[in-house]
Amino acid sequence: MTDHALHVNLNRITNGGIIQHAILVRLIVGGSVEIATQVTAKHLDFIDDVDLRLALTQRLNELDRVFLVNAHYSTVFVAIGALEGIFKHVAARYKSEIEALKSYPKDHKGKKKKDFERLTIDDLYVLLRDLDIVPGIDEYPSLYKLFRGYRNCIHAQAQVRKGWEIDIGQAQMALGLLNATLRNLDRNVFVGKHVFEKIAGAPYYDSSRVLQLRVGESPHNSFVLLKEPITRAFSARFDADLSPKSLLNFVFDYVDEGNFQMLRLDRRPNSRYPNAVLRSTQKFVWSEVLLATPRKPPNKEMLPVEIEIDFDKQVFSLVVDGDPYTFSDLSGKQKNLFSRVHKGKRVGFFNEVAPVMLSNVVLDKLA
């Protein structure tokens, strides 16, 4: 006789969001039962600090255990403490931008700005929201403020003064707020101070400052888009690590997954597809509209790439390994690449077939 495993997925909706319980119940010969449960989301790719990511992962794993044994105080304190650490890490990246915001709070006397180090979790949510790093949800500021108060109940005297009870309801809400925040932040890929949105796959920017476009289940594999549209000028310089099996696409004029254009660099040696400009007219369907010269990238894995879009100068250029690319239509007539790009649309990257790594990434954008 063999062991039997029963997987049970439960969603509990709380005022703070959805807590996902992934429970494995293993019925072992002899009648004993082994239970493993996961109640916290483990989406931490947006954190490029390896040590902090490890510390947070340890806390999330501990939350899985303490919630299971009804340790409600520990659940609230660890969950909200983890949220504070996450917000402070993300906010530190944008300290100067945050301090320049009109919504930056005053100190308790209301005469000068609050010290950056003294910003509370609800302060940080509002400021990150105003930078469009987390979504603006009307109920969230009060929720973060409420649970800042619960977090302070780690001191017994503070709890006595407030007269607050911490029970299963508060524990569930704290976990819901943590999970919802992690999922919202994990939609982002932070490349320096630039924010990309994940459209598909599991791309991430690692501690070595390499944008990893990994292989995924979608034909897009890892698809990222700069959150802000291009309105005046944009340039990108990077070294593309392209294996002989891989393709890299620079996306522009993005409207949705079935409506965008892209520049394709195809390194596959036996591929019949040349470097080209392609147009997507429906999801996962695209066709060549301009052909590039040279037809193939150089036969080397690490390729320096430069892309520039400038609406004032009417420039859209692609340079690979020092070689400027030119373009023609399918009949061979020379075309200016700038005629293909339009203001107010988004740009990004996605890979096909195999992983692609972009290192030494330098991005410049003029609003």
Side-chain angles (χ1 to χ4, degrees):
M1 184 180 296
T2 59
D3 298 349
H4 298 280
L6 172 65
H7 294 265
V8 183
N9 291 315
L10 303 175
N11 287 339
R12 177 176 293 126
I13 300 176
T14 74
N15 291 333
I18 297 178
I19 302 173
Q20 291 191 341
H21 299 261
I23 300 176
L24 169 64
V25 180
R26 188 177 300 279
L27 306 177
I28 303 174
V29 175
S32 60
V33 177
E34 174 186 331
I35 299 178
T37 184
Q38 176 178 308
V39 298
T40 56
K42 301 297 191 296
H43 307 293
L44 296 172
D45 279 348
F46 64 91
I47 294 178
D48 57 3
D49 183 321
V50 175
D51 293 331
L52 178 61
R53 192 163 63 237
L54 175 60
L56 288 168
T57 299
Q58 291 170 340
R59 291 178 183 225
L60 295 177
N61 288 334
E62 182 161 317
L63 272 170
D64 291 342
R65 298 190 293 272
V66 298
F67 181 80
L68 182 65
V69 296
N70 294 323
H72 306 313
Y73 288 88
S74 297
T75 297
V76 171
F77 300 153
V78 177
I80 304 307
L83 269 178
E84 288 176 337
I86 289 166
F87 273 172
K88 286 181 180 295
H89 170 75
V90 175
R93 182 188 298 269
Y94 300 97
K95 182 178 179 181
S96 59
E97 290 82 359
I98 284 175
E99 289 178 332
L101 288 171
K102 292 181 180 179
S103 54
Y104 194 93
K106 302 284 188 181
D107 64 13
H108 67 285
K109 295 181 179 179
K111 294 183 178 180
K112 63 178 183 178
K113 288 185 175 182
K114 185 183 287 190
D115 289 342
F116 187 84
E117 292 72 19
R118 298 184 68 84
L119 293 172
T120 60
I121 189 171
D122 47 313
D123 291 334
L124 290 169
Y125 167 75
V126 170
L127 295 166
L128 292 172
R129 177 201 65 192
D130 290 350
L131 288 180
D132 198 29
I133 292 171
V134 293
I137 300 173
D138 290 343
E139 294 80 11
Y140 269 30
S142 58
L143 276 172
Y144 287 114
K145 184 175 182 179
L146 172 66
F147 276 96
R148 187 216 331 154
Y150 275 112
R151 169 71 172 81
N152 291 338
C153 288
I154 192 170
H155 306 290
Q157 290 88 344
Q159 184 179 355
V160 170
R161 286 195 301 270
K162 288 182 176 292
W164 286 0
E165 180 181 359
I166 296 179
D167 208 330
I168 188 170
Q170 290 77 19
Q172 289 174 341
M173 289 177 68
L175 279 175
L177 190 59
L178 172 65
N179 283 340
T181 302
L182 284 174
R183 289 191 177 89
N184 286 332
L185 281 170
D186 195 55
R187 296 171 185 166
N188 300 318
V189 179
F190 298 103
V191 179
K193 292 192 176 184
H194 297 278
V195 186
F196 285 83
E197 178 186 1
K198 291 182 183 179
I199 303 300
Y204 76 106
Y205 190 64
D206 65 23
S207 58
S208 300
R209 300 186 177 182
V210 175
L211 178 58
Q212 304 269 359
L213 302 176
R214 296 181 279 191
V215 173
E217 297 178 356
S218 161
H220 291 146
N221 284 289
S222 290
F223 196 160
V224 295
L225 282 173
L226 197 63
K227 273 197 168 183
E228 295 182 348
I230 306 304
T231 55
R232 183 178 171 192
F234 167 82
S235 66
R237 300 191 305 276
F238 52 88
D239 294 326
D241 188 348
L242 293 169
S243 74
K245 297 180 180 179
S246 61
L247 287 80
L248 173 65
N249 299 291
F250 172 72
V251 173
F252 62 95
D253 270 23
Y254 180 89
V255 177
D256 56 46
E257 286 188 74
N259 185 359
F260 60 87
Q261 299 185 76
M262 62 188 182
L263 289 168
R264 178 177 63 199
L265 294 176
D266 188 345
R267 269 270 287 141
R268 296 174 297 174
N270 299 320
S271 171
R272 63 183 180 86
Y273 300 108
N275 295 333
V277 176
L278 295 95
R279 171 87 191 189
S280 175
T281 55
Q282 58 181 313
K283 193 171 183 179
F284 305 142
V285 175
W286 39 80
S287 57
E288 296 165 356
V289 291
L290 296 180
L291 300 178
T293 301
R295 290 289 193 261
K296 285 289 182 182
N299 188 24
K300 53 194 294 189
E301 290 198 3
M302 191 67 74
L303 296 173
V305 178
E306 299 176 37
I307 299 168
E308 181 182 4
I309 298 172
D310 191 316
F311 288 103
D312 294 339
K313 298 177 181 178
Q314 296 191 343
V315 168
F316 185 6
S317 63
L318 170 67
V319 178
V320 180
D321 199 31
D323 194 357
Y325 276 45
T326 60
F327 296 86
S328 60
D329 62 21
L330 302 186
S331 67
K333 184 179 180 180
Q334 290 292 307
K335 290 293 182 180
N336 187 341
L337 185 58
F338 181 75
S339 65
R340 302 295 312 183
V341 68
H342 301 89
K343 280 187 178 182
K345 303 294 177 62
R346 299 166 69 188
V347 300
F349 302 95
F350 78 86
N351 63 309
E352 297 178 66
V353 184
V356 171
M357 294 184 291
L358 306 183
S359 58
N360 302 316
V361 180
V362 178
L363 303 173
D364 290 303
K365 181 180 178 297
L366 292 176

